[in-house]
Amino acid sequence: MENWYLPITIVPGLGLLILSTLNLMVTLNNEISTMVEYAKEQTMIIRKLAQLKLLNMAMVFFYVAVSLLLVSAVLDGLYTIKKIAFYISVLSIISALIGLFSLIIYSFRAVTIRQNQFKNQLD
């Protein structure tokens, strides 16, 4: 019962990742809506929709990580199920890492999409 609070200390960091990812999703959603409204470049809209899906996947993994961390803390604090709480904590960290890798992939693709947009505007 001595380390039940450790998983909880990670939750605020994941909360900030969720907030920043949500801001990215809103911005991307607005951009896609504008492109659809003016019927601009179908291929670019499809690429941006794929980006939106990637951000959504990252959000799901962050939500899963937070919920697993909270369950882990409760199991460790209220019950004497240390090993299970530890394994749940490891699962939550893996989930958070998958979410972070999704954001890294999103970032690389976002730069490529932006470059293509600027090249198309110059042509």
Side-chain angles (χ1 to χ4, degrees), residues 7-99:
I8 301 287
T9 59
I10 301 172
V11 171
L14 285 172
L16 289 174
L17 283 170
I18 289 170
L19 182 63
S20 67
T21 305
L22 182 63
N23 287 334
L24 286 172
M25 285 180 72
V26 168
T27 302
L28 185 58
N29 191 32
N30 290 339
E31 190 174 348
I32 292 169
S33 295
T34 303
M35 291 178 83
V36 167
E37 185 178 320
Y38 293 110
K40 292 185 177 179
E41 299 184 46
Q42 275 312 92
T43 56
M44 196 61 69
I45 292 171
I46 291 169
R47 290 175 73 187
K48 287 186 177 280
L49 285 171
Q51 287 289 88
L52 192 60
K53 186 176 180 180
L54 192 59
L55 284 176
N56 187 51
M57 186 178 71
M59 289 286 281
V60 167
F61 281 110
F62 289 147
Y63 287 141
V64 168
V66 168
S67 62
L68 288 174
L69 284 170
L70 295 176
V71 167
S72 170
V74 168
L75 288 178
D76 199 13
L78 296 180
Y79 307 104
T80 55
I81 314 174
K82 302 269 184 219
K83 281 193 177 190
I84 293 175
F86 173 76
Y87 292 134
I88 292 174
S89 292
V90 169
L91 262 175
S92 69
I93 292 169
I94 290 170
S95 180
L97 285 174
I98 292 170

